[in-house]
Amino acid sequence: MTTPIEEPTITTAASLAYAEDFQGEDDHLAAARGRADQVGVVPVGPGAGAALSFLASAVQAKSVAEIGTGTGISGLWLLRGMQPDGVLTSVDLEAEHQRLARETFVEAGFAPQRFRLIAGSGLDVMPRLTDAGYDVVFLDGDKVEYGEYLDQSMRLVRPGGIIVFDNALWHDRVADPAQRDPETTAIREVVQRVKNDERLRSVLLPVGDGLLVAQLY
């Protein structure tokens, strides 16, 4: 009788780093990371950024909504995966962060009509966005609001569109049931809601700090 052989899993930091840096980043992304360091923003890593660009390309995204602009790193990855006439709508509480993101986008060669920056909280702005008007909705705002972001995103994304949550593993805390702080609990609950929702096809990607990806049927 043949003994089943389990598929190996990634176990070394070297393999994780190799996968994370698979695409690498250019000077425009490096400059945006420098700006993020200056203002204390923690952006997505190269692995998560490359995944966002791939997802936007896979659905031929022309309209993307983002909650959490930062200094434009995730937005730049998304723009590079979108259709040439696509528009990114990005929401952030900090107007200064959005000023820096604008610099990132323009320096990378994107015309101003390719992005719309809105200063405000995600939960204030999302209800004003168009129903089923987006191919991709990317959430990287206040973690305790993730459940409400999901409710809004289900309305905003078109059938076949994609909802993506950053920090879905939250610094290894989500997988540890002993961790019960508000942020970890909110993320864990969203992961379970997405997993159990029959309207969604989902996958949890272990890139960066974790990407939870769901496609609306």
Side-chain angles (χ1 to χ4, degrees):
M1 183 175 179
T2 303
T3 302
I5 300 175
E6 292 186 2
E7 185 174 350
T9 57
I10 297 173
T11 58
T12 69
S15 289
L16 290 168
Y18 183 83
E20 184 70 17
D21 295 332
F22 174 69
Q23 281 293 343
E25 293 187 324
D26 62 12
D27 291 343
H28 298 298
L29 286 161
R33 288 196 182 279
R35 297 178 183 118
D37 289 341
Q38 292 172 11
V39 297
V41 170
V42 181
V44 299
L52 291 174
S53 189
F54 181 90
L55 291 167
S57 177
V59 298
Q60 299 183 319
K62 297 184 69 173
S63 184
V64 174
E66 173 185 54
I67 304 302
T69 308
T71 58
I73 292 173
S74 55
L76 184 52
W77 278 108
L78 286 163
L79 282 165
R80 287 176 170 172
M82 294 169 66
Q83 296 294 290
D85 58 346
V87 176
L88 170 71
T89 298
S90 190
V91 180
D92 199 292
L93 274 171
E94 299 293 338
E96 173 63 10
H97 295 174
Q98 292 195 319
R99 184 187 69 79
L100 296 173
R102 184 181 300 276
E103 289 184 16
T104 295
F105 300 154
V106 171
E107 288 175 3
F110 288 95
Q113 61 265 30
R114 291 292 312 279
F115 53 88
R116 177 173 61 149
L117 303 178
I118 302 175
S121 74
L123 293 181
D124 286 341
V125 175
M126 292 177 82
R128 305 202 302 267
L129 301 180
T130 304
D131 289 9
Y134 297 88
D135 305 296
V136 178
V137 178
F138 175 55
L139 296 317
D140 191 17
D142 190 335
K143 309 311 169 193
V144 298
E145 296 178 348
Y146 266 25
E148 293 167 281
Y149 290 167
L150 177 60
D151 295 334
Q152 289 292 330
S153 297
M154 294 289 287
R155 178 182 60 80
L156 295 177
V157 75
R158 63 164 174 83
I162 291 175
I163 301 167
V164 187
F165 285 90
D166 190 31
N167 304 114
L169 297 176
W170 197 230
H171 318 309
D172 290 329
R173 298 176 70 85
V174 170
D176 181 358
Q179 303 297 330
R180 299 181 179 274
D181 59 275
E183 291 84 2
T184 302
T185 299
I187 296 169
R188 189 181 291 129
E189 289 175 353
V190 150
V191 170
Q192 288 302 312
R193 281 183 59 191
V194 166
K195 176 182 177 181
N196 296 329
D197 195 317
E198 295 182 352
R199 297 168 294 176
L200 298 171
R201 176 188 291 110
S202 60
V203 62
L204 181 56
L205 301 176
V207 293
D209 195 28
L211 286 182
L212 176 63
V213 182
Q215 183 178 40
L216 182 66
Y217 284 114

